[in-house]
Amino acid sequence: MSYSQTAWIIPLLPLVSFTLLLAFGRQMKEAGAWISTLLTGMSFVWAVLTLVARLGKPVSDYAWSYNWLQLEDTALSMGYELTNLNSWMMVVVTFVSLLVNLYSKGYMHGDERITVFYGYVSLFTFSMLGLVLSQNLLQLYVFWELVGVCSFLLVGFWFFKPEAKAAAKKAFIVTRIGDVGLFLAILILFWQMPGHALDFTSIHNAFTGNEITPGWTTLIAILIFIGAIGKSGQFPLHTWLPDAMEGPTPISALIHAATMVAAGVYLIVRTYDIFAASPDALLVVALVGAFTAVFAATIGMAQHDIKRILAYSTVSQLGYMMMALGLGSVSAGMFHLTTHAFFKALLFLGAGSVIHALHRQDIREMGGLASKMKITAVTFAIGALALSGIPPFSGFWSKDAILTVAYEENKLLFGIGLITAFFTAFYMARLYFLVFGGKRSGPTRNGHQEHVHESPPVMTLPLILLAVPAVLAGFLSTPWNGWFGEWLTGLPAEEHANLIVMVLSALAGIGGIILGYLMYEKGSVPADIVSRQVPWLARLTERKYYIDELYDRIIVAPLRGLGHVLQVLDDVVIGGIVRMSARAAVGLGRNGVKLQNGQVQTYGLVSLLGFVLFVILLVGRRYG
């Protein structure tokens, strides 16, 4: 039996962990953490073995399914399909999940609900792996929704905090908007596909064979993209992602690196045959991605919460990935998804280490941590350099691949990508120098840093392990070696070394870091120069372009008003009719009881009144 035939074990192990923790969690206490970590580790090992089996020589895709539901002549199936793409994704997901499990042992130590936390994490990992392995779009949608449920549970894990409760509801509702788009796309596909088939092989054959009309193709692609916009936090459905920072920091790493947001990019890659058949849809993907990239980067420069800065960087980097996919390069998009998973998980876990030490998140109240948290400082610097696209760190190579495609296909998008690279390097330099640099800017900092110390080994070990791929993963695909893209997509690799792009990309990153150094470390450039010269611009970006306020005015407030009106209608009109009917029935009953009292005089009087009434009606009808 080959590893392809046993790939179903990879998602099964986290599911077993969830089941055990759900059944025996209260008795296990913190031992549950080791069970979750052990089973996720076994899942990672199995994923690596499965991946290795597919390296080196051409291996055909493997699919297995069974009929789940029979609808007259149409059968809906469940199963799994193993390709190079999802075998790679499973390694990324399980690797990050394993390190998040390990890290959480220290971060969540002492939490009374730690077994519940690990149960949710296991379910989250299982859901993402199930999504990745899905054999058809309907099954993918089931796991897609399960991923959304898990994010709701984990973002709102500290539900006693009003902010966490609100963030969980916001994440759930905003992503549901995108999910409606994906659901409609599946319905249209079911209607349009030959034989109502929804498996990815049939979708590939139908759209590469032009069996679906261009109009329907574009509509389906756009609806799928709306689903990806919701999950991957693209404009205008990005607002839930920064608010999701209210959850525990390890969950932020998991959501931003390997599960929730990666699902949107993976969805487009998995259904890329539909997008490839519609140039209009690809253009929309590229434009939305490019706009989101620069839009989120400008917000990231003005935020003060360490996790929110990283959250907006995630939104921005996902925009990069979408832009690559829109420009026709699946390999560049997936390459950046891979490197981003490593260095973004590293950055979030590093931020968690800082928060664990200081119990605060405002970078203006931090500083000078490099000498007291050396491992965190060094590994965080590696993640920041990778995110900033500084050679030879991994982010440089994956970002260069995207910028090269943009340079060749659309100079405007290339310019936007270059500006975004500069902004990215600047806000990461600002974050790093304010947190780890020697400058002092916070009034309460010194009093708290006296007791600051490095995080325990169970938290620093994942940082070290993630720092390795954050440095080296970029060499999977260089401008002179397109092996990764060829292996991933099955298409011949093209060497795309472009010295101009490489130099400009590196200069943008280095320039952003130098400016950040001059402003926030050396102090030769005033840190408040923008807020003094153009205060409205600084306020606009700090308030995130007032998008939340706008949504509150045009969507939330009217809906809340409509809800109040409907509640009044229900209470007064509907409820009033019901209450009046009840009272009438009760009154009628009581009067009936009074009449049935056994007194002959009463019966005679009622009969007389009835007779008189009858006569009046008879006479009135005759002469009326």
Side-chain angles (χ1 to χ4, degrees):
M1 185 174 289
S2 67
Y3 284 108
S4 297
Q5 293 171 308
T6 58
W8 54 272
I9 294 176
I10 298 169
L12 181 68
L13 291 169
L15 180 62
V16 171
S17 168
F18 167 72
T19 307
L20 289 175
L21 294 177
L22 184 68
F24 309 107
R26 289 189 176 181
Q27 291 76 22
M28 290 178 178
K29 295 184 179 179
E30 296 208 3
W34 292 117
I35 290 176
S36 176
T37 306
L38 177 65
L39 289 172
T40 306
M42 292 169 63
S43 181
F44 169 65
V45 171
W46 209 280
V48 170
L49 293 173
T50 305
L51 174 67
V52 170
R54 302 186 67 84
L55 295 175
K57 57 182 181 180
V59 179
S60 58
D61 297 341
Y62 178 83
W64 176 88
S65 65
Y66 71 97
N67 284 345
W68 170 53
L69 194 62
Q70 190 71 36
L71 301 173
E72 296 184 352
D73 297 334
T74 303
L76 299 178
S77 63
M78 300 285 278
Y80 72 95
E81 181 177 13
L82 190 69
T83 65
N84 289 347
L85 173 67
N86 56 23
S87 64
W88 180 259
M89 275 295 294
M90 284 195 296
V91 171
V92 174
V93 172
T94 52
F95 178 62
V96 175
S97 298
L98 172 62
L99 296 184
V100 166
N101 270 275
L102 187 62
Y103 180 93
S104 301
K105 182 71 176 66
Y107 191 88
M108 299 298 291
H109 177 71
D111 194 297
E112 293 180 355
R113 300 174 65 233
I114 190 168
T115 52
V116 177
F117 173 83
Y118 273 95
Y120 290 166
V121 170
S122 297
L123 184 62
F124 206 176
T125 306
F126 159 72
S127 305
M128 187 63 194
L129 291 171
L131 184 151
V132 167
L133 267 181
S134 291
Q135 178 258 354
N136 61 65
L137 205 49
L138 181 63
Q139 184 180 343
L140 184 147
Y141 184 75
V142 173
F143 285 106
W144 178 274
E145 291 297 341
L146 199 51
V147 166
V149 171
C150 293
S151 69
F152 171 78
L153 294 172
L154 285 166
V155 171
F157 182 74
W158 290 324
F159 57 86
F160 46 84
K161 293 167 58 180
E163 298 85 0
K165 199 159 52 179
K169 286 191 289 186
K170 186 175 184 179
F172 192 77
I173 293 171
V174 173
T175 54
R176 290 290 77 69
I177 296 171
D179 293 354
V180 171
L182 177 58
F183 183 68
L184 291 175
I186 293 173
L187 290 180
I188 296 173
L189 265 174
F190 183 76
W191 175 32
Q192 290 290 314
M193 281 289 293
H196 305 299
L198 290 175
D199 61 281
F200 292 111
T201 303
S202 298
I203 290 173
H204 168 79
N205 294 335
F207 284 90
T208 54
N210 296 321
E211 296 182 37
I212 310 297
T213 61
W216 284 119
T217 300
T218 300
L219 179 61
I220 293 167
I222 294 296
L223 288 171
I224 291 175
F225 182 54
I226 290 173
I229 284 176
K231 275 287 191 290
S232 291
Q234 296 293 282
F235 181 86
L237 300 180
H238 65 283
T239 55
W240 69 271
L241 197 51
D243 286 6
M245 296 301 95
E246 295 297 336
T249 302
I251 295 312
S252 302
L254 196 58
I255 288 177
H256 285 248
T259 53
M260 186 82 168
V261 300
V265 177
Y266 180 79
L267 172 68
I268 293 185
V269 173
R270 201 73 175 92
T271 58
Y272 201 73
D273 294 313
I274 303 174
F275 289 86
S278 172
D280 293 337
L282 284 178
L283 181 62
V284 170
V285 174
L287 291 177
V288 171
F291 177 77
T292 304
V294 70
F295 170 79
T298 57
I299 298 176
M301 290 191 296
Q303 301 304 302
H304 306 300
D305 185 302
I306 186 171
K307 288 176 67 178
R308 282 187 178 270
I309 295 171
L310 296 178
Y312 277 106
S313 84
T314 299
V315 176
S316 179
Q317 297 305 306
L318 289 164
Y320 259 116
M321 298 171 208
M322 292 296 182
M323 184 172 79
L325 296 175
L327 291 171
S329 180
V330 172
S331 59
M334 280 301 299
F335 185 31
H336 198 53
L337 177 68
T338 301
T339 61
H340 179 264
F342 297 135
F343 62 68
K344 186 50 64 68
L346 171 61
L347 288 170
F348 265 110
L349 296 186
S353 180
V354 171
I355 296 168
H356 185 262
L358 297 180
H359 302 289
R360 61 189 59 219
Q361 299 183 200
D362 193 328
I363 60 173
R364 294 170 297 183
E365 300 175 357
M366 302 177 188
L369 295 182
S371 59
K372 298 175 180 177
M373 304 181 70
K374 293 180 181 176
I375 298 176
T376 301
V378 171
T379 53
F380 198 94
I382 291 172
L385 290 170
L387 175 58
S388 302
I390 304 300
F393 296 92
S394 61
F396 169 75
W397 302 106
S398 58
K399 199 173 291 185
D400 174 71
I402 295 173
L403 290 175
T404 300
V405 174
Y407 184 81
E408 294 170 353
E409 300 292 332
N410 190 316
K411 294 293 190 296
L412 173 63
L413 298 187
F414 170 72
I416 292 175
L418 211 57
I419 293 170
T420 304
F422 175 80
F423 288 162
T424 303
F426 174 74
Y427 65 66
M428 287 310 299
R430 170 177 175 261
L431 189 160
Y432 188 84
F433 290 124
L434 282 178
V435 174
F436 297 100
K439 296 293 182 185
R440 299 289 184 267
S441 59
T444 61
R445 178 184 310 156
N446 292 334
H448 287 277
Q449 284 193 11
E450 290 176 357
H451 307 290
V452 173
H453 54 79
E454 183 59 275
S455 297
V458 74
M459 292 176 66
T460 54
L461 179 61
L463 300 181
I464 297 169
L465 294 176
L466 281 167
V468 175
V471 176
L472 300 177
F475 294 101
L476 283 170
S477 179
T478 63
W480 304 278
N481 177 18
W483 166 83
F484 180 73
E486 184 175 350
W487 175 81
L488 202 66
T489 63
L491 300 174
E494 296 180 4
E495 292 187 1
H496 54 273
N498 190 315
L499 190 60
I500 295 175
V501 174
M502 294 177 71
V503 171
L504 290 177
S505 172
L507 286 177
I510 293 170
I513 289 178
I514 291 175
L515 182 59
Y517 172 78
L518 295 176
M519 291 179 72
Y520 298 103
E521 180 68 12
K522 194 172 182 181
S524 55
V525 177
D528 61 346
I529 186 170
V530 176
S531 58
R532 280 195 290 109
Q533 297 296 327
V534 277
W536 63 269
L537 181 61
R539 191 164 51 250
L540 186 66
T541 51
E542 187 176 356
R543 297 303 302 268
K544 301 160 284 184
Y545 296 98
Y546 295 96
I547 297 293
D548 281 316
E549 289 81 356
L550 181 67
Y551 285 173
D552 190 63
R553 291 282 181 86
I554 65 174
I555 298 175
V556 178
L559 285 177
R560 189 179 289 127
L562 178 63
H564 287 312
V565 170
L566 292 176
Q567 185 174 5
V568 170
L569 183 68
D570 183 55
D571 289 344
V572 177
V573 179
I574 307 298
I577 293 174
V578 173
R579 285 192 295 273
M580 188 173 66
S581 302
R583 287 172 184 169
V586 171
L588 187 63
R590 286 176 178 170
N591 288 329
V593 170
K594 290 178 181 177
L595 291 175
Q596 301 296 327
N597 55 11
Q599 295 182 359
V600 178
Q601 299 91 327
T602 302
Y603 298 156
L605 178 61
V606 172
S607 299
L608 180 62
L609 290 175
F611 177 73
V612 171
L613 182 63
F614 175 74
V615 171
I616 291 172
L617 288 175
L618 194 62
V619 172
R621 185 178 178 186
R622 183 171 184 179
Y623 295 100

